[in-house]
């Protein structure tokens, strides 16, 4: 099981859209995948067509419960079949650990020690259930993002070609390096994925050149062009690979390539502590 945390320290760069694009590619390829929604806004949960209110009304759990207790019974109670697969026979390909406002109570700077590793310990109970876990972190470097990174094998930093987004990408990589020196020695950066690239923008060309000069081979290729289909698929709670139109098909091919790169990462065996 490979755990990939999708991070950005700046909101509005399309981090959740990238996480869902990867989940769509995994579904298309038949790779059993769990999406962990660590963002209190719960956008990944909504994009996967799961209604948190219905989950709560049915007595189901959510990410906040797993951050409180990493017991196997707690995490298995919280995992749901995504709405993408709800109409299929069997239990589907993509599942979700839903997030919502209660998750924010764990976004504290003093999250460390056993509390920092609760998510990772909870995921270890699912070692034989999934090939891939995608953790959608909130757009800040608080306790939730640190917990998501501490649970991960690789970190995918999402940015866009803009000054403030570049600074945030640098901050995210520094956070990965700091965690590697301490509580997460197995964590490594997968790279920086540049989203919402406009091919005929001199400003974007300049920022991309700056990115490559700063980070070199960590800047992943291909980059994700600005296409409305990515946000439209998320807004309609549908997998990108099933969304109509040329733009969606183009983006689906890019996420297929990115997924291939993710799956080539050597995996390590996890055991709950």
């Amino acid at each position: 099981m490979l755990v990939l945390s999708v991070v950005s320290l700046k909101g509005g760069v399309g981090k959740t859209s990238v996480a869902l694009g990867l989940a769509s590619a995994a579904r298309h390829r038949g790779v059993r995948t769990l999406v962990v929604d660590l963002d209190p806004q719960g956008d990944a949960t909504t994009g996967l067509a799961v209604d948190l209110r219905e989950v709560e009304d049915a007595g189901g759990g959510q990410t906040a419960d797993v951050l409180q207790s990493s017991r196997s019974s707690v995490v298995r109670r919280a995992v749901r079949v995504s709405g993408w697969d709800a109409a299929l026979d069997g239990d589907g390909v993509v599942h979700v650990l839903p997030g919502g406002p209660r998750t924010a109570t764990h976004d504290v700077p003093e999250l460390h020690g056993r509390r920092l590793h609760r998510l990772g310990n909870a995921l270890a109970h699912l070692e034989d259930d999934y090939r891939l876990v995608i953790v959608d972190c909130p757009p800040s470097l608080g306790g939730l993002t640190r917990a998501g990174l501490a649970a991960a094998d690789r970190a995918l930093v999402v940015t866009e070609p803009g000054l403030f987004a570049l600074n945030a990408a640098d901050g995210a990589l520094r956070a990965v390096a700091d965690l590697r020196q301490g509580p997460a020695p197995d964590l490594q950066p997968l790279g920086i994925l540049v989203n919402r690239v406009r091919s005929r923008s001199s400003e974007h060309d300049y920022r991309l050149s700056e990115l490559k000069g700063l980070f070199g081979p960590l800047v992943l290729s291909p980059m994700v062009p600005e296409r409305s289909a990515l946000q439209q698929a998320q807004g309609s709670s549908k997998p990108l690979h099933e969304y109509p139109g040329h733009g969606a098909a183009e983006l689906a091919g890019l996420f297929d390539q990115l997924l291939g790169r993710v799956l080539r990462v050597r995996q390590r065996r996890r055991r709950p502590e």
Side-chain angles (χ1 to χ4, degrees), residues 103-185:
T103 310
T105 61
H106 298 274
D107 200 17
V108 292
E110 62 268 20
L111 197 67
H112 55 79
R114 295 183 65 86
R115 291 184 67 192
L116 181 65
H117 290 287
R118 276 180 185 158
L119 177 61
N121 286 331
L123 294 176
H125 293 297
L126 308 176
E127 173 71 32
D128 296 321
D129 295 355
Y130 300 101
R131 173 84 182 279
L132 176 64
V133 176
I134 301 169
V135 182
D136 185 35
C137 297
S140 62
L141 188 57
L144 290 173
T145 296
R146 293 181 72 244
L149 288 171
D153 300 292
R154 295 292 186 273
L156 176 63
V157 178
V158 180
T159 190
E160 62 182 6
L163 173 61
F164 299 116
L166 300 190
N167 292 337
D170 182 59
L173 288 176
R174 290 178 185 273
V176 170
D178 289 344
L179 285 166
R180 286 191 67 191
Q181 296 299 316

Side-chain angles (χ1 to χ4, degrees), residues 11-113:
V13 300
K15 169 186 57 63
T16 298
S17 297
V18 167
L20 293 176
L22 273 171
S24 178
R27 181 178 182 270
H28 182 71
R29 189 165 170 172
V31 176
R32 280 183 62 84
T33 298
L34 173 67
V35 177
V36 178
D37 191 352
L38 270 186
D39 193 334
Q41 295 182 62
D43 290 343
T45 300
T46 302
L48 288 161
V50 171
D51 189 324
L52 185 61
R53 289 171 298 181
E54 292 181 1
V55 171
E56 293 174 331
D57 290 344
Q62 56 181 282
T63 303
D65 301 313
V66 174
L67 293 170
Q68 188 67 36
S69 170
S70 59
R71 295 196 307 270
S72 175
S73 59
V74 175
V75 66
R76 292 187 182 280
R77 174 174 165 266
V79 170
R80 316 286 295 184
V81 178
S82 75
W84 293 356
D85 290 342
L88 301 179
D89 294 332
D91 62 353
V93 177
V94 176
H95 294 181
V96 59
L97 189 56
R102 280 208 292 125
T103 310
T105 61
H106 298 274
D107 200 17
V108 292
E110 62 268 20
L111 197 67
H112 55 79

Side-chain angles (χ1 to χ4, degrees), residues 196-197 199 224-232 246-248 250-251:
R196 297 177 177 170
V197 176
S199 59
V224 181
E226 186 174 55
R227 299 287 185 271
S228 59
L230 192 58
Q231 287 72 41
Q232 290 170 347
H246 174 75
E250 177 190 10
L251 292 172

Side-chain angles (χ1 to χ4, degrees), residues 172-246:
L173 288 176
R174 290 178 185 273
V176 170
D178 289 344
L179 285 166
R180 286 191 67 191
Q181 296 299 316
D186 295 317
L187 174 65
Q188 295 183 39
L190 180 74
I192 299 172
L193 182 67
V194 188
N195 189 29
R196 297 177 177 170
V197 176
R198 294 195 296 271
S199 59
R200 298 181 180 179
S201 167
S202 58
E203 168 67 10
H204 279 203
D205 288 343
Y206 176 78
R207 295 302 176 190
L208 290 173
S209 176
E210 189 177 43
L211 256 177
K212 293 174 182 177
L214 285 170
F215 303 112
L218 279 175
V219 180
L220 299 177
S221 181
M223 300 175 188
V224 181
E226 186 174 55
R227 299 287 185 271
S228 59
L230 192 58
Q231 287 72 41
Q232 290 170 347
Q234 179 181 340
S236 62
S237 299
K238 292 182 179 179
L240 177 66
H241 287 65
E242 293 184 357
Y243 203 77
H246 174 75

